[in-house]
Amino acid sequence: MLQVYLVRHGETEWNAARRIQGQSDSPLTAKGLYQARQVAERVRNEGITHVITSDLGRTRHTAQIIADACGCEVINEPRLRELHMGVLEERILDGLTEQEEVWRKQMVDGSPQGRIPEGETMTELAARMRAALDSCLDLPEGSKPLLVSHGIALGCLISTILGLPAYAERRLRLRNCSLSRVDHQQSAWLASGWIVETAGDVSHLELPALDELQR
């Protein structure tokens, strides 16, 4: 059985400001750095062999803190990037026009072909996230990788493992530096392949953590 840990990056300045990030970027806040150290402590003794991260700054910084604790190198994986949110990237959530809010909601309300202009669909996101996860099957036997990615991206990945379409209504909250785990296994009482062991665990965090747009 292959166990793969999934971590969302620590809080960023734009998370706190309710600014849409997508594949744009902003630095971790002091709280985000603290969250990264806490999740690093949580997994320090789990036997992590590979820390694989989205190549955006907020995930790479989070990943480096975890890798230092686990004695691993950081491996960049662009397929773990956040959903590309097109023309809405860098925009303040509360400043969106009525039409822009329609585009944004299509990414979370179950619209099959929802796409922000110049951005990705959830189906496109799901395809690259699953490809990144499946590539872990090629790691040496006995590996225990940890992937650092983003809230929408990880939520989409976990939801599709559970059998939901990529564009299904979003009902899984993954807060900053939450920890999830998926396993690839064969079982008489579970479907073969990837299964969800845990999702969105924040028991290691001392302070409340944000979801993507929550205050």
Side-chain angles (χ1 to χ4, degrees):
M1 179 176 70
L2 175 66
Q3 298 176 350
V4 181
Y5 288 86
L6 308 174
V7 174
R8 185 185 171 208
H9 62 81
E11 180 188 272
T12 70
E13 292 180 1
W14 287 5
N15 287 149
R18 291 170 57 83
R19 187 182 293 272
I20 296 171
Q21 292 184 111
Q23 294 187 8
S24 300
D25 219 352
S26 71
L28 299 183
T29 62
K31 181 177 178 180
L33 291 169
Y34 186 49
Q35 292 168 336
R37 291 192 292 269
Q38 288 180 304
V39 74
E41 281 300 311
R42 170 74 181 273
V43 300
R44 180 189 291 274
N45 297 316
E46 293 293 341
I48 301 300
T49 59
H50 300 76
V51 175
I52 304 169
T53 181
S54 156
D55 61 348
L56 298 178
R58 59 193 186 270
T59 40
R60 287 191 294 109
H61 200 168
T62 303
Q64 188 63 63
I65 292 170
I66 297 170
D68 288 346
C70 296
C72 300
E73 299 294 324
V74 172
I75 302 169
N76 288 335
E77 172 51 87
R79 290 177 294 187
L80 293 174
R81 283 186 171 200
E82 181 61 291
L83 174 74
H84 196 301
M85 299 188 108
V87 299
L88 298 189
E89 296 204 358
E90 305 184 24
R91 297 289 304 281
I92 295 288
L93 178 64
D94 297 334
L96 299 183
T97 67
E98 184 175 341
Q99 177 60 69
E100 290 169 339
E101 181 63 7
V102 169
W103 293 335
R104 187 192 69 80
K105 284 186 175 179
Q106 287 179 344
M107 312 313 297
V108 301
D109 67 1
S111 298
Q113 300 302 319
R115 182 196 300 269
I116 297 166
E118 301 180 23
E120 287 180 289
T121 65
M122 295 295 286
T123 300
E124 291 166 341
L125 169 64
R128 61 176 171 81
M129 288 294 293
R130 179 58 73 90
L133 178 63
D134 285 345
S135 69
C136 293
L137 297 171
D138 297 326
L139 294 173
E141 186 174 353
S143 295
K144 188 178 284 190
L146 181 148
L147 310 185
V148 184
S149 187
H150 306 264
I152 295 175
L154 289 172
C156 181
L157 176 63
I158 293 171
S159 294
T160 55
I161 290 172
L162 291 172
L164 296 171
Y167 55 82
E169 292 178 321
R170 292 191 68 220
R171 297 189 181 278
L172 177 61
R173 173 170 287 142
L174 299 177
R175 298 179 186 273
N176 291 125
C177 278
S178 59
L179 180 66
S180 305
R181 199 185 95 195
V182 297
D183 298 343
H184 194 274
Q185 49 82 66
Q186 304 291 326
S187 169
W189 294 104
L190 293 170
S192 298
W194 293 109
I195 61 98
V196 177
E197 176 71 20
T198 59
D201 183 4
V202 291
S203 61
H204 51 283
L205 300 180
E206 295 178 9
L207 300 173
L210 300 176
D211 65 16
E212 292 81 20
L213 298 170
Q214 181 190 21
R215 292 308 300 151

